Amino acid sequence: MAAKLLGGPFLSLISSLEQLFDWIACGEVVEFVREKKLESEINKLEITLSSVGRIAYDAEKKQMTDKAVKQWLQDVNDAVNDAKGLVYEIHTEALGESEHRGRTIGAGTSRILKITSRHPPKRGLATIYNRRIQEILRIKSESKSGSSGEKKQEHHHQRILQILNRLEFSVRQKDVLGLREDVEVEKTTTTTSSETTNTATAATMEVEEEGEESYCIYGRDADRRAVIKALSSDDGEEGGDKVCVISIEGVSGIGKTTLAQLVYGDIDTIKRFDIKAWITVSNDYNLFTLLKAIYETVTGLKNCRIQSIVEFQLKLEEFFRGKKILLVLDNVWNMTFPVWYLFKRSFESVVSGSKIVVTTKDKYIASNFGTSAPTHCLQLLSEKDCWRLFSRHVFNNNKVKPHGLDKIGRQIVKKCNGLPLAIKLLAGLLRTEMNTTSWNNVLKNEAWGLSREHCNVLGALWLSYCYLPPHLK
């Protein structure tokens, strides 16, 4: 989802252009275009597509703050997709003709050779005979196609002109939109594999020993203790349910998943449960796929052939019988009460004190579960905790900071609005660019003006995306 949100039409456009240029350069297509007298149109199309590609790199940077540029990217992407469809059609036709020509010439040659073998030509005339045979077969093949070939040629010609007109109009719009062709692709510092690994580990969590400093998580110690306390209780739900649901709520990027991972890996918590399972719930899940994911995770069986929800419920009920379980459902977007009612039937055989931890940004999820268990609403980090988190990832908590970066860094951290994910994203970027110029570019970037309901992390996410090398985008 993040890739679609950030890259959008740009990534699709660049991918389509690469495929187009590969097809156009194909030997069979080059020969086909020459025979059909489409060289001029195809050459012009290739030049125009190159211009579009160069403009697109500037449009990529401006699309998030300029709706007109974003629409331009979408329109030109549609035109390029039409060009892709046309060139694919030509590519397929060219390959087909090449194969057909080979079969026809092969068959015709064998028939003529049978005749000429009775009266073989003199050695000096062999080459002339072969050339004449090829020419006769070519003319014969063309005469069969006749008018249909001419119609296809005209069809291709007209479609190329239509697509060219659309693309040329888009290229002319660049001046109105303030777009340029001469923008260089962003160059970034390449991190080593060890740096990448360290950043990825830190972005998740580091569990070594007690204390926030060891976990590389700040401002969440009270939440961690509260959730662990709830997990340690052997009480079931009010109303007789043996499974207690604990909901961790908060806006995107506030650290719900990180907190859940922290308590999920707690040593004392691990000892309390017979079965543990972590399920990441997609936004397009359904009850069948959710039960299937749980069953395959807890049993270790992959690609099971169960075809019905009822069968999964019975299998899970049998597997969980007499056991205390801990199940984490991470990133639940929505679960209605009727779905939850059917879902929890799989857990009727568990031991009292079993727990289901749900992370969600929807504050009404807990009410849909009908649970009376406490809900943990995560708050934004304090300015002090934000700086500690940033400093840990960028400076490795060194008290001596490079000249000028301390002040700029604190200003950048303020723009993250207390969201740990935004801080970690930018920390991963800035730790490889330890100079005031790069940090000031990030501080003053237009991406900070982005707004999206319930998604304050978007600005930092966009900045991190912009600084990626093209192949990683």
Side-chain angles (χ1 to χ4, degrees):
M1 182 176 179
K4 183 177 180 181
L5 174 65
L6 296 178
F10 171 76
L11 296 180
S12 175
L13 175 63
I14 297 303
S15 175
S16 295
L17 287 174
E18 290 176 353
Q19 183 68 75
L20 270 168
F21 292 137
D22 285 344
W23 283 339
I24 290 173
C26 175
E28 289 84 358
V29 171
V30 172
E31 180 65 20
F32 180 89
V33 166
R34 185 186 63 78
E35 289 181 359
K36 304 299 181 184
K37 297 180 173 61
L38 295 172
E39 285 177 297
S40 176
E41 292 91 337
I42 291 295
N43 287 339
K44 195 171 183 180
L45 177 63
E46 194 169 6
I47 292 170
T48 308
L49 289 171
S50 296
S51 295
V52 165
R54 290 193 295 271
I55 299 170
Y57 279 99
D58 191 28
E60 179 207 16
K61 297 179 179 180
K62 299 176 179 177
Q63 63 169 317
M64 297 297 282
T65 55
D66 191 328
K67 291 183 179 180
V69 172
K70 189 171 185 177
Q71 185 60 50
W72 180 89
L73 262 177
Q74 184 61 62
D75 292 342
V76 79
N77 190 46
D78 292 341
V80 168
N81 279 333
D82 285 346
K84 188 177 177 181
L86 170 63
V87 175
Y88 175 76
E89 184 180 318
I90 291 174
H91 181 259
T92 304
E93 194 173 334
L95 292 178
E97 283 203 7
S98 176
E99 185 179 348
H100 173 72
R101 190 183 299 116
R103 288 199 304 267
T104 303
I105 290 174
T109 302
S110 63
R111 288 196 297 271
I112 292 174
L113 285 177
K114 286 180 181 179
I115 298 172
T116 57
S117 63
R118 301 169 190 169
H119 307 284
K122 295 179 180 179
R123 186 173 300 177
L125 298 176
T127 303
I128 298 174
Y129 263 75
N130 286 335
R131 289 177 181 173
R132 185 56 182 160
I133 288 170
Q134 300 292 334
E135 183 66 17
I136 291 170
L137 291 172
R138 185 183 65 79
I139 294 171
K140 186 177 179 181
S141 177
E142 288 179 354
S143 65
K144 286 183 178 180
S145 56
S147 59
S148 63
E150 293 177 0
K151 287 181 180 179
K152 280 187 178 181
Q153 182 175 335
E154 181 62 24
H155 168 72
H156 292 327
H157 176 77
Q158 292 299 325
R159 281 193 65 191
I160 292 172
L161 289 181
Q162 290 172 2
I163 293 168
L164 266 174
N165 287 335
R166 291 172 63 189
L167 291 172
E168 288 173 345
F169 174 73
S170 295
V171 171
R172 290 194 298 272
Q173 280 187 307
K174 76 178 191 298
D175 295 327
V176 178
L177 297 171
L179 299 175
R180 296 156 45 206
E181 284 191 52
D182 57 348
V183 175
E184 291 187 8
V185 179
E186 201 71 66
K187 294 180 180 179
T188 59
T189 303
T190 304
T191 58
T192 64
S193 58
S194 60
E195 286 176 328
T196 305
T197 303
N198 290 339
T199 303
T201 303
T204 306
M205 64 175 180
E206 296 176 5
V207 180
E208 298 170 358
E209 54 185 276
E210 290 298 322
E212 284 189 334
E213 196 71 24
S214 299
Y215 295 122
C216 202
I217 296 172
Y218 300 94
R220 295 287 180 241
D221 200 45
D223 294 295
R224 180 179 65 87
R225 289 197 302 268
V227 175
I228 289 177
K229 182 179 179 181
L231 289 175
S232 301
S233 170
D234 286 329
D235 296 333
E237 259 323 278
E238 290 183 7
D241 286 342
K242 297 176 181 178
V243 179
C244 176
V245 180
I246 302 168
S247 179
I248 301 175
E249 299 174 6
V251 297
S252 297
I254 204 167
K256 302 180 295 293
T257 298
T258 301
L259 177 61
Q261 288 175 325
L262 192 59
V263 298
Y264 186 78
D266 181 76
I267 300 299
D268 291 332
T269 301
I270 292 173
K271 295 176 181 178
R272 299 189 64 84
F273 297 96
D274 302 309
I275 297 175
K276 288 175 57 187
W278 181 290
I279 306 296
T280 300
V281 184
S282 62
N283 61 336
D284 58 349
Y285 85 97
N286 56 53
L287 183 57
F288 178 83
T289 57
L290 182 56
L291 292 175
K292 183 175 187 288
I294 295 171
Y295 180 77
E296 291 183 345
T297 300
V298 297
T299 62
L301 302 174
K302 302 299 179 184
N303 303 316
C304 66
R305 297 183 179 181
I306 298 175
Q307 299 295 321
S308 70
I309 291 174
V310 173
E311 193 172 355
F312 270 128
Q313 289 174 326
L314 294 173
K315 290 283 188 181
L316 285 171
E317 185 178 2
E318 182 61 31
F319 188 82
F320 290 147
R321 189 174 305 280
K323 297 183 178 71
K324 184 183 289 187
I325 69 164
L326 170 60
L327 173 66
V328 177
L329 300 179
D330 184 39
N331 196 32
V332 177
W333 284 62
N334 184 35
M335 184 179 285
T336 62
F337 179 75
V339 173
W340 167 248
Y341 180 78
L342 292 173
F343 174 76
K344 70 176 185 178
R345 291 179 62 180
S346 304
F347 307 96
E348 291 179 350
S349 63
V350 301
V351 171
S352 182
S354 296
K355 302 291 189 289
I356 296 179
V357 177
V358 177
T359 69
T360 179
K361 63 180 182 179
D362 187 345
K363 62 183 179 180
Y364 299 108
I365 285 288
S367 62
N368 286 339
F369 292 157
T371 176
S372 60
T375 296
H376 296 274
C377 299
L378 296 187
Q379 304 300 314
L380 298 173
L381 293 183
S382 67
E383 189 173 325
K384 178 182 177 181
D385 286 327
C386 287
W387 177 248
R388 290 171 64 202
L389 180 62
F390 181 83
S391 181
R392 169 67 181 262
H393 288 300
V394 177
F395 304 119
N396 198 26
N397 280 346
N398 290 330
K399 294 183 179 180
V400 179
K401 313 290 191 299
H403 180 70
L405 295 186
D406 187 287
K407 182 179 179 181
I408 303 172
R410 290 181 183 275
Q411 291 176 288
I412 291 173
V413 167
K414 278 187 178 181
K415 288 181 175 288
C416 292
N417 295 324
L419 292 170
L421 177 58
I423 294 168
K424 290 175 182 178
L425 286 169
L426 289 178
L429 166 66
L430 295 173
R431 67 184 296 173
T432 63
E433 303 284 343
M434 301 293 278
N435 61 82
T436 56
T437 301
S438 297
W439 284 41
N440 272 317
N441 287 339
V442 169
L443 176 63
K444 298 172 182 178
N445 197 287
E446 293 179 348
W448 292 113
L450 298 174
S451 62
R452 184 177 176 87
E453 186 180 4
H454 307 309
C455 194
N456 297 326
V457 77
L458 187 58
L461 198 60
W462 173 249
L463 277 167
S464 298
Y465 165 80
C466 282
Y467 280 84
L468 285 173
H471 70 284
L472 289 182
K473 287 182 180 180

